[in-house]
Amino acid sequence: MSETKKDRAYIRRAIEAADLNAVRMALYQNTGDPDLCRLPPALELDDAQREELIDQAVSWLAENASQRSLPEPPATELRRLMNMATDEEMGDLEFEARREQTAFRQFPFLVEWDGDTPKIPDGFNVAIIGGGFAGIVMAVQCELLGIPYFVLERHAEFGGTWHINRYPDVRVDTISLTYEFSFEKSYRWSEYFARGEEVRSYLDHVANKFGVRAHTRFGHDLKRAAYDENRDLWRLDVDTPDGPRTIEAAVVVSATGLFANPKLVEFEGSDVFGGQIVHPARWPRDLSLEGKRVAIIGNGSTGIQMVGAIAEEAEQTYVFQRTPQWIMPRDKYGLPVEPGVHWLMDNFPGYWNWARYLAGAPLFDTHALVTTDEDWRAEGGQVNPGSDALRKDLVEYVKKETGGRQDLIDRLIPDYAPFSRRPVVDNGWYRALTRDDVELVTDPIARLTKSGIETADGKVREVDVVVTATGFEVVKYLHPAQFLGREGADIHETWEAADGPRAWIGMMVPRFPNFFMLYGPNSQPVSSGPSQSTWFTVWSAFVGRCMKRMLTDGLSRIEVTQEAYDAYNEALDEEATKLVMMTREGGIEKNYYVNNEHGRVQVNAPWYGPVFQQMFSNVDWDALEMTAESKTAARK
């Protein structure tokens, strides 16, 4: 925490660097001054209004700065404040989904016991597979409920995808304030978009602060999980630093996520190439690119992010693009958080809450961007008004960033709608393509040769290092571990016999009792919701609700029914037909969100965000089969 008292000049500099909307909200919450209600949003303030707001905030903070926290206002008042913050009148559904985003409560979204904690039966414990963001928040949920648990992490540290991704300039592509956990209120990021090293440090910090490290077993790699129906237990076969071991757990939560298995593409000639082939998720720690000729294959989030840093070091960089991306700017990307802004977060009660809430607010209204408007299209529009307007703005951005170079512009404009694929953040990628030592290559790769890459036009570019930024096997959920449920059902075989991985609300599968997935099949919200770390929290709270029910009702088994599973996935497929990504305009043929073999969305949940969130906060207990005869004694 920073020192509380600062002079007026320091406070003014801090306010001028801050989010003035958050300043207005925190100041109003502390003072109740009705004049603040009448001010427009920050972007609409005229010079006089802006100076008036800054002066008032400086004067108040000079006398009243403190490190106290504000309590959560009553629901009616909180709703009024939230409406004031975003200049809207939200509905009941939206308020219930967003109220915890303000993070006034100590543990937003997570569940605790009402009244006395019941006795936890001997042998009731939870195995959490994975020590990334999802695994850590699930562990904190167990801590809150006082349920014994352990985390199995195959690597030597926390981080998950942040442990394996160490390529140049790796960082978050959403603002750090929205990437963090809402229950850790005192961490201060050094940059507005944190680098990978700091993300790993953050996860260490959270794990240490909330007691997770003491329950984590590093170097433990799950190979097989089998459900014992006679004892209602999972038996986990694990490779450990001391050799193979079998561990038992009443409940298993997979937190291995979507980006656990790198997609390793084999090009013709890979075996004869004399240079080095590197996947970003397996970046050698001692790799130097100084003076080398580097090829980067792929222009998704990872490929885009690394080009600028690599071009600064390499002698020549070739960027191989198969499919153009919509690449969007982010305000303050790459910039440090000003010390004065840190001071405000520590000493301006409520500022952190509102800065965080408002940083995520643009995500609230994106659902319209990803759904088709048939009336608009009938009148000659391409997708919907918002999408078409965004497309126009992004085309102008490409032209500006490339300096109007038509040879680049013609190859960089996608032929599909924005937001139908994962949005990519620009960290100077377009500008990097204008460098003399960077070449954009859009001809298909034919093969690798001994000394370089040959494209379909017969041209060979000599390279020393090939970076295959080809992403991850996003539908290989749970791989490579084997999971066997009731009656010996193999979850991978079950999925392969149908149309790929599916789950009920992205978390549960019939015949696999007491088993939950965080970031499972079709769980990534398509729009209109909180940040990914918040979704991990929402999902962990759902598991918490299920475990509370098991413990209060003496249940030994909880499992989704086949009927509920089938009905949910039928509804999901129907809802997905409304999405832009399922149309030609949405680039359906070139989208990893879509399984073209089976003609369905394979990654996303198509629901409007608040609707999807309700599925976890208001559990449909009728969808679950619950066995009440306790087998606790058999577990001993």
Side-chain angles (χ1 to χ4, degrees), residues 419-584:
F419 271 88
S420 56
R421 298 166 62 112
R422 189 182 191 280
V424 179
V425 174
D426 183 26
N427 67 335
W429 187 75
Y430 288 126
R431 290 194 299 274
L433 297 181
T434 66
R435 293 172 56 121
D436 293 338
D437 56 1
V438 175
E439 180 185 350
L440 175 67
V441 183
T442 54
D443 292 306
I445 294 174
R447 62 189 60 81
L448 269 61
T449 68
K450 184 175 181 179
S451 60
I453 297 178
E454 182 180 343
T455 47
D457 60 357
K459 184 174 182 178
V460 176
R461 292 168 176 84
E462 305 289 324
V463 298
D464 305 299
V465 178
V466 174
V467 180
T468 56
T470 47
F472 291 81
E473 299 284 4
V474 294
V475 293
K476 285 196 172 181
Y477 299 100
L478 310 179
H479 276 271
Q482 181 184 33
F483 280 80
L484 304 176
R486 290 191 296 105
E487 303 162 356
D490 185 305
I491 201 165
H492 297 301
E493 292 178 359
T494 299
W495 284 337
E496 289 169 6
D499 56 0
R502 288 189 182 268
W504 178 71
I505 64 172
M507 297 192 73
M508 302 178 74
V509 178
R511 295 193 293 171
F512 291 83
N514 305 352
F515 175 64
F516 305 87
M517 291 174 284
L518 307 182
Y519 218 167
N522 289 108
S523 65
Q524 180 168 290
V526 73
S527 67
S528 305
S531 64
Q532 193 61 54
S533 61
T534 299
W535 281 111
F536 292 146
T537 313
V538 168
W539 298 332
S540 296
F542 171 83
V543 181
R545 291 182 177 94
C546 289
M547 293 192 298
K548 285 179 66 177
R549 182 73 181 265
M550 293 179 74
L551 292 168
T552 54
D553 290 5
L555 305 177
S556 63
R557 182 184 297 182
I558 189 166
E559 174 185 351
V560 66
T561 68
Q562 187 69 48
E563 293 75 17
Y565 174 89
D566 291 340
Y568 174 81
N569 280 286
E570 182 179 347
L572 183 148
D573 289 345
E574 175 63 27
E575 187 70 17
T577 62
K578 305 172 185 177
L579 298 178
V580 176
M581 69 177 68
M582 296 299 290
T583 68
R584 184 187 61 80

Side-chain angles (χ1 to χ4, degrees), residues 22-40:
V23 168
R24 180 179 68 125
M25 293 307 304
L27 189 60
Y28 176 75
Q29 196 174 358
N30 281 285
T31 67
D33 183 346
D35 288 341
L36 293 166
C37 296
R38 293 188 279 271
L39 286 177

Side-chain angles (χ1 to χ4, degrees), residues 112-315:
E112 303 180 59
W113 290 109
D114 303 315
D116 296 334
T117 303
K119 185 180 185 303
I120 310 297
D122 292 341
F124 190 94
N125 63 342
V126 182
I128 301 168
I129 315 302
F133 269 86
I136 289 174
V137 71
M138 187 66 238
V140 172
Q141 176 64 89
C142 290
E143 290 275 352
L144 278 180
L145 294 175
I147 296 175
Y149 72 94
F150 54 89
V151 179
L152 300 180
E153 171 51 57
R154 62 183 174 182
H155 298 297
E157 65 176 10
F158 294 109
T161 193
W162 290 100
H163 168 80
I164 62 177
N165 280 286
R166 297 170 183 266
Y167 57 84
D169 209 29
V170 57
R171 66 173 73 222
V172 301
D173 57 8
T174 58
I175 193 165
S176 304
L177 266 179
T178 65
Y179 204 77
E180 66 189 6
F181 295 123
S182 54
F183 54 79
E184 173 46 279
K185 308 176 195 301
S186 61
Y187 191 87
R188 301 294 171 248
W189 299 96
S190 65
E191 295 189 34
Y192 282 98
F193 292 80
R195 298 173 188 267
E197 182 178 358
E198 186 170 11
V199 175
R200 293 191 292 273
S201 296
Y202 172 74
L203 291 175
D204 269 346
H205 164 81
V206 173
N208 291 333
K209 180 173 180 176
F210 293 93
V212 178
R213 181 177 292 277
H215 297 268
T216 301
R217 307 174 188 182
F218 294 105
H220 281 57
D221 189 9
L222 177 67
K223 296 300 182 181
R224 181 177 183 269
Y227 188 70
D228 185 336
E229 296 182 62
N230 295 320
R231 300 168 65 216
D232 283 344
L233 278 177
W234 283 92
R235 292 174 56 83
L236 310 176
D237 295 334
V238 183
D239 278 355
T240 80
D242 299 319
R245 181 184 173 195
T246 298
I247 308 172
E248 294 183 342
V251 175
V252 174
V253 181
S254 173
T256 52
L258 195 66
F259 305 110
N261 299 291
K263 186 176 183 180
L264 304 175
V265 178
E266 284 292 327
F267 293 97
E268 179 185 342
S270 295
D271 55 336
V272 301
F273 177 60
Q276 190 170 4
I277 300 176
V278 178
H279 190 282
R282 296 181 177 176
W283 196 271
R285 297 191 184 218
D286 60 349
L287 178 60
S288 171
L289 301 177
E290 185 176 357
K292 294 184 177 179
R293 299 161 298 178
V294 181
I296 302 171
I297 300 173
N299 62 324
S301 295
T302 297
I304 296 290
Q305 198 170 68
M306 65 172 63
V307 169
I310 288 177
E312 287 292 328
E313 185 178 2
E315 175 185 308

Side-chain angles (χ1 to χ4, degrees), residues 326-368:
W326 289 114
I327 303 171
M328 307 179 186
R330 288 288 190 277
D331 185 38
K332 296 189 176 182
Y333 189 92
L335 297 181
V337 180
E338 298 85 351
V341 172
H342 282 157
W343 181 86
L344 290 174
M345 290 180 179
D346 292 341
N347 298 286
F348 190 178
Y351 176 78
W352 174 83
N353 304 83
W354 290 112
R356 195 175 180 281
Y357 180 77
L358 287 162
L363 296 173
F364 295 158
D365 299 316
T366 56
H367 196 74

